[in-house]
Amino acid sequence: MVAVAGLLWCIWDFGRTGRGTLAPVDPPRFVVRSGLYRLVRNPMYLSVLVALVGEAVLFRSTRLVVWAVIVSITVHLFVVAYEEPRLRQQFGAPYEAYCREVGRWVPRRPGR
C-alpha cells in the first residue's frame, strides 16, 4: 500500500507541479521538486521497487527477490544512461541544481 500511495503521489505531482504526465507525448514542463521529489530524484521507480520487494517478502519468493534485483539494475542503468542526460538537456540549469541538492536513490542529509 505504501508503494502504491507513493506512486500515486508522484503522478499527482507530475500533473500539478510539472504540468505534464508520465506519457512521452505530454511530459512535465517544469522540474518537479515537491512531494517525494524533494527527498529523492526517482521516487516513482523507488515506489515500484518497494512494491516488488514487498511482494517478495509477502510470498517468500526467491524468484521475486531475483526479479527485484534485475529490475533495480535495469532501472539504474536506464536512469543514468538515458533519463538523466535527457533531463539535463531538457531542463538545463534548474535540473543541474536539483541534482546537486537531491540524491538519486537515497535522501541526503540537509545541508549537504
Side-chain angles (χ1 to χ4, degrees):
M1 283 305 253
V2 171
V4 172
L7 186 58
L8 292 174
W9 185 1
C10 292
I11 292 169
W12 174 262
D13 282 339
F14 254 46
R16 186 186 59 177
T17 305
R19 306 284 166 98
T21 68
L22 298 177
V25 296
D26 186 26
R29 289 156 188 77
F30 305 97
V31 176
V32 178
R33 299 180 64 139
S34 62
L36 296 176
Y37 287 94
R38 65 187 156 73
L39 303 174
V40 292
R41 295 195 308 257
N42 299 291
M44 276 197 238
Y45 294 132
L46 283 176
S47 293
V48 170
L49 295 172
V50 166
L52 284 174
V53 170
E55 289 175 345
V57 170
L58 179 67
F59 296 116
R60 298 180 183 158
S61 171
T62 304
R63 288 181 179 173
L64 283 176
V65 170
V66 170
W67 178 242
V69 170
I70 290 169
V71 169
S72 298
I73 292 167
T74 303
V75 165
H76 177 74
L77 293 174
F78 173 76
V79 165
V80 170
Y82 173 74
E83 192 170 73
E84 286 183 349
R86 186 181 61 77
L87 292 172
R88 279 185 176 87
Q89 183 180 25
Q90 181 179 354
F91 294 114
Y95 184 73
E96 288 290 341
Y98 177 59
C99 289
R100 283 191 301 273
E101 296 167 16
V102 178
R104 182 183 290 135
W105 304 113
V106 178
R108 293 183 181 156
R109 289 191 320 241
R112 269 192 93 207

